[in-house]
Amino acid sequence: MKKTHKHRSVIFYKDYFQDFFVKQRDKVKNKIIWTFELIEELPRIPESYLKHIEGTDGLYEIRVQSGSDIFRIFCFFDRGQLVVVANGFQKKSQKTQKKEIEKALKIKKEYESEKK
């Protein structure tokens, strides 16, 4: 088995993401795991997988598509190479739900205040 070089690490903060993850079908879980591995291993991540959310202070969305289902997983960086996963949801409309972004920002704030 070839050892791949990791450019960053994906970690979960509390149970916010796991609560979403456990409810997904196996096919979706596998695609999410595949996407996390891609984020860890690629030197530059294509925007189709990881994109900064405009108008936020360092919030990103990981984009996962499984068939016609689209999922968004919010995350942020800590010390550059650590990707902290906040929350996830299934996207049902063109616009990313505002309450999901607000939830992710709240999780980010909680993470940062706990770290101090």
Side-chain angles (χ1 to χ4, degrees):
M1 205 168 110
K2 87 175 174 87
K3 178 97 175 86
T4 53
H5 172 72
K6 279 187 171 187
H7 289 275
R8 56 197 74 74
S9 296
V10 174
I11 64 157
F12 305 139
Y13 176 60
K14 297 198 172 164
D15 291 333
Y16 297 114
F17 174 71
Q18 281 93 320
D19 292 344
F20 158 79
F21 185 77
V22 295
K23 295 177 195 143
Q24 304 311 316
R25 299 185 319 272
D26 284 346
K27 193 176 162 193
V28 173
K29 286 180 184 171
N30 292 338
K31 187 71 185 265
I32 290 171
I33 292 164
W34 178 86
T35 308
F36 286 165
E37 288 170 350
L38 189 92
I39 288 168
E40 288 185 333
E41 293 165 10
L42 287 181
R44 292 199 63 215
I45 308 156
E47 227 178 53
S48 54
Y49 294 107
L50 183 71
K51 186 177 195 284
H52 180 255
I53 299 171
E54 282 177 37
T56 67
D57 181 21
L59 195 64
Y60 288 78
E61 64 177 9
I62 296 169
R63 302 160 152 222
V64 177
Q65 189 161 351
S66 177
S68 61
D69 295 329
I70 296 171
F71 299 89
R72 293 291 182 257
I73 300 159
F74 292 119
C75 65
F76 48 91
F77 286 85
D78 183 4
R79 287 167 297 178
Q81 301 309 314
L82 192 62
V83 180
V84 183
V85 175
N87 57 323
F89 69 101
Q90 184 169 356
K91 195 170 171 187
K92 291 184 171 27
S93 68
Q94 276 306 102
K95 203 161 161 21
T96 297
Q97 280 83 342
K98 202 170 164 53
K99 69 175 180 27
E100 294 292 345
I101 291 175
E102 284 165 7
K103 181 180 173 184
L105 287 168
K106 214 173 99 195
I107 293 168
K108 182 176 185 281
K109 200 170 268 163
E110 185 185 335
Y111 174 86
E112 288 166 349
S113 70
E114 268 184 25
K115 245 187 66 172
K116 287 179 185 157

